[in-house]
Amino acid sequence: MKFFIDTASLKDIQEAQDLGVLDGVTTNPSLMAKEGIGGEENVKNHYKAICEIVDGDVSAEVISTDFEGIVREGEELVKLDDQIVVKVPMIKDGIKAIKYFSERGIRTNCTLVFSAGQALLAAKAGATYVSPFIGRLDDISTDGLQLIQDIRDIYDNYGYTTEILAASVRHPMHILECAKIGADVMTGPLSAILALLKHPLTDNGLAQFLADHAKVNG
Ligand code: G3P
């Protein structure tokens, strides 16, 4: 399972990279705004800075919602670095743009996916990644993980190569359940990745080992 970090924070990206388990980064306009990154040149420079930290794919989201605008923005974004994947919203013009990009070898991440039908469309259009938002579905009392399972089943039925990128991950159990289902990728905050480390028996066991070692070694 690939681990992406869902942030535009260079500090968090560097920390996850230093841990040695990071496979890529996803961003969105809200995450960029949270870091105070605005203005076309600043945004482009920030994507370049992210690409310098990580080795893997970096999703950069378009702002346009019309076909021509999405294509224009996407073609500009991929010039920044080979690692850039164009993040396109699940709307009619977005699907048309994903098809356009896939025919030209430009990689895409279809975002804001909340149903299996949307994921099927994204795969048919040739999206590289599909991003179902599991946390936001859970927020409205809908089973986000069931959506991951449904998409897995559908893609496996037909051999679609679009990778399932479980997004809007909020906590370590989301990651574990996605791994059990067979999501190809998960993207979440640094806190969810670091939470995988923690177990009280590990902490207690280590404290005991160190205390016992100290008894005979001073
Ligand atoms: O980047 C898309 C998605 O991961 C957003 O997550 O936590 O804002 O629902 P969240």
Side-chain angles (χ1 to χ4, degrees):
M1 183 190 214
K2 286 190 267 188
F3 274 24
F4 288 1
I5 189 168
D6 195 28
T7 185
S9 160
L10 298 182
K11 181 175 164 293
D12 284 5
I13 293 167
Q14 186 68 61
E15 189 173 339
Q17 175 67 21
D18 291 346
L19 193 60
V21 299
L22 192 65
D23 300 299
V25 177
T26 52
T27 61
N28 63 41
S30 300
L31 292 170
M32 295 293 272
K34 192 174 165 191
E35 299 305 312
I37 311 298
E40 204 179 316
E41 278 313 300
N42 288 338
V43 167
K44 284 183 177 173
N45 287 336
H46 201 74
Y47 286 138
K48 283 191 211 167
I50 292 173
C51 291
E52 276 175 25
I53 296 173
V54 298
D55 299 324
D57 291 349
V58 174
S59 285
E61 188 159 344
V62 298
I63 305 302
S64 301
T65 54
D66 63 294
F67 175 77
E68 288 77 15
I70 294 170
V71 165
R72 190 171 53 248
E73 270 190 67
E75 287 179 336
E76 281 298 309
L77 286 168
V78 293
K79 284 181 198 161
L80 297 175
D81 198 290
D82 288 347
Q83 292 166 249
I84 295 287
V85 175
V86 183
K87 204 171 180 189
V88 180
M90 166 45 75
I91 53 176
K92 195 171 175 184
D93 281 31
I95 285 296
K96 285 163 67 178
I98 287 169
K99 180 71 180 175
Y100 173 95
F101 288 136
S102 75
E103 285 171 343
R104 287 158 181 79
I106 293 175
R107 296 176 309 137
T108 54
N109 174 355
C110 184
T111 189
L112 289 165
V113 166
F114 293 94
S115 77
Q118 291 178 324
L120 178 56
L121 264 182
K124 283 193 68 67
T128 312
Y129 297 103
V130 64
S131 286
F133 280 26
I134 57 178
R136 292 192 193 186
L137 282 169
D138 290 354
D139 287 345
I140 57 159
S141 305
T142 307
D143 190 350
L145 290 167
Q146 183 59 51
L147 175 59
I148 301 295
Q149 182 67 67
D150 291 346
I151 299 170
R152 181 75 280 157
D153 291 345
I154 291 167
Y155 283 10
D156 288 351
N157 281 348
Y158 296 99
Y160 288 122
T161 55
T162 298
E163 293 190 50
I164 301 172
L165 197 174
S168 189
V169 159
R170 302 276 171 77
H171 50 72
M173 289 311 291
H174 270 156
I175 301 175
L176 282 186
E177 292 302 323
C178 284
K180 285 198 263 182
I181 292 167
D184 301 285
V185 192
M186 80 82 202
T187 191
L190 182 62
S191 59
I193 296 171
L194 294 179
L196 291 172
L197 282 167
K198 299 304 290 180
H199 196 289
L201 292 179
T202 303
D203 297 340
N204 294 348
L206 182 59
Q208 186 68 56
F209 286 158
L210 295 179
D212 290 343
H213 174 83
K215 277 182 207 165
V216 288
N217 289 279

